[in-house]
Amino acid sequence: MTITLRAGLLGTAIGLCTAAGAWAQDVTLRLHQFLPEQAAVPRDVLIPWMERVTEASDGRIAFEHYPAMQLGGRPPELFDQAADGVADVVWTLPGYTPGRFPRSEVFELPFMVSDAEAASAALWGMYEDGAFGDEFDRVKVLGLWVHGPGVIHTSEPVVEVTDMQGLDLRTPTRVTGQLITELGGNAVGMPVPQVAESLTRGVIDGAIIPWEVTGAIRSSELVSNHTEFPEEALYVATFLLAMNQSVYDGLPDDLKAVLDEQTGAAFSAQAGAATQEADAGPRQAAVEMGNNIVTLTTAQAQEWKDAAQPVIDAWIAEADTAGLDGQALVDGARSAVDAASD
């Protein structure tokens, strides 16, 4: 955290100005994340959020936005960058550090989520109720949400489970890697920024990502088949917006209040909704390219659900072995999603 804007640094200074000039700024927060500015989440969630915070604070909170890992490191290191003060605020995926956040991982199980807004409200609610224990205690949690339905994007059409046999597919998280393996594919874990190059070089045959990501990495130009699921999504990943706890604690009370008002339950649900809404444009772009979009029927999807059930069973057993109540976490997540959907 700095007390005034520092000129000459990389990144985009986010702030609002009046006709009389720039407002005085008491605090400048460095926000670090792994996608380019034009990607859906930075464009539709993070940048508007920074602008709202700046406006609500009468310009006393400003941001320096460092997209695409401009402060250095790799995406899996972002959580620790927030905890250790390398950055003041980060946006990341807990799933980029496998096994580190086992309770909140429950939302990444297959066929758990149909609507990102409701699931994001449920995710935040479980966090606020203490269901995730001490998983995020090293940071100040500002938001938790999930993206829209995960889609299979491949060089060859995928309709039946047997079509997965031998496919090398990018997976974002530990659970999705287990899912792809269970379905007969070869899971290749990697952050989103590596997907386009890996497709171009033939390292992978495809990727499982939501539609909103495909626009930023232009993957629909590299593979032409896309498999969607009705009702519940094949998978979603959880997102985390987190702040260095000491930086938050050092703010004056009125600025803490601004951040509190602009984060939490409502922000998380809004972020989930915005992320899913961002699916529409890239999907339409794929249609206009003439790509093959396969939307499975409910009956076809049931084959996939049956094939995926061992992943859920294994996750519950693993959680139980670790001293967690796996079934209670699964039941709690499903109940929370149902309640948020009503």
Side-chain angles (χ1 to χ4, degrees), residues 153-156 166-170 198-199 202-207 223:
H153 308 269
T154 49
S155 53
E156 299 295 329
L167 290 181
D168 296 320
L169 295 179
R170 175 267 178 179
S198 297
L199 286 170
V203 174
I204 54 177
D205 300 308
V223 295

Side-chain angles (χ1 to χ4, degrees), residues 85-121:
V86 175
D88 301 315
V89 182
V90 303
W91 170 64
T92 187
L93 276 72
Y96 278 173
T97 49
R100 189 169 179 179
F101 305 98
R103 296 175 180 87
S104 54
E105 193 178 60
V106 66
F107 278 83
E108 297 179 347
L109 290 172
F111 302 107
M112 287 285 290
V113 169
S114 58
D115 176 76
E117 181 176 7
S120 298

Side-chain angles (χ1 to χ4, degrees), residues 52 54 61 81 83 92 94 158 187 238 256 263 269 286:
R52 289 196 303 271
T54 297
I61 298 176
Q81 288 188 359
T92 187
V158 170
T238 59
K256 287 180 186 174
T263 57

Side-chain angles (χ1 to χ4, degrees), residues 114-290:
S114 58
D115 176 76
E117 181 176 7
S120 298
L123 177 63
W124 179 268
M126 288 187 70
Y127 162 71
E128 202 165 45
D129 290 343
F132 303 147
D134 61 356
E135 288 187 0
F136 302 115
D137 280 0
R138 294 185 64 219
V139 297
K140 167 68 176 176
V141 177
L142 303 178
L144 285 163
W145 69 95
V146 304
H147 58 59
V151 176
I152 302 173
H153 308 269
T154 49
S155 53
E156 299 295 329
V158 170
V159 179
E160 300 177 351
V161 172
T162 54
D163 294 332
M164 295 285 286
Q165 290 295 321
L167 290 181
D168 296 320
L169 295 179
R170 175 267 178 179
T171 57
T173 65
R174 187 181 77 96
V175 171
T176 52
Q178 293 172 342
L179 173 63
I180 294 307
T181 300
E182 182 66 32
L183 298 177
N186 302 315
V188 183
M190 67 177 65
V192 162
Q194 298 177 20
V195 170
E197 181 181 358
S198 297
L199 286 170
T200 301
R201 294 171 53 199
V203 174
I204 54 177
D205 300 308
I208 54 170
I209 47 179
W211 277 112
E212 50 97 359
V213 174
T214 66
I217 64 174
R218 307 175 73 88
S219 58
S220 295
E221 299 175 16
L222 301 173
V223 295
S224 58
N225 295 280
H226 316 274
T227 304
E228 301 176 323
F229 292 77
E231 302 160 358
E232 296 89 356
L234 175 69
Y235 90 100
V236 297
T238 59
F239 293 141
L240 168 69
L241 185 68
M243 185 173 182
N244 178 272
Q245 186 68 58
S246 296
V247 170
Y248 175 83
D249 291 341
L251 294 175
D253 288 345
D254 61 335
L255 294 188
K256 287 180 186 174
V258 168
L259 281 174
D260 293 345
E261 290 166 2
Q262 297 295 329
T263 57
F267 166 70
S268 296
Q270 179 188 44
T275 306
Q276 185 161 346
E277 288 168 4
D279 288 341
R283 185 186 188 280
Q284 182 58 33
V287 170
E288 292 173 0
M289 290 179 198

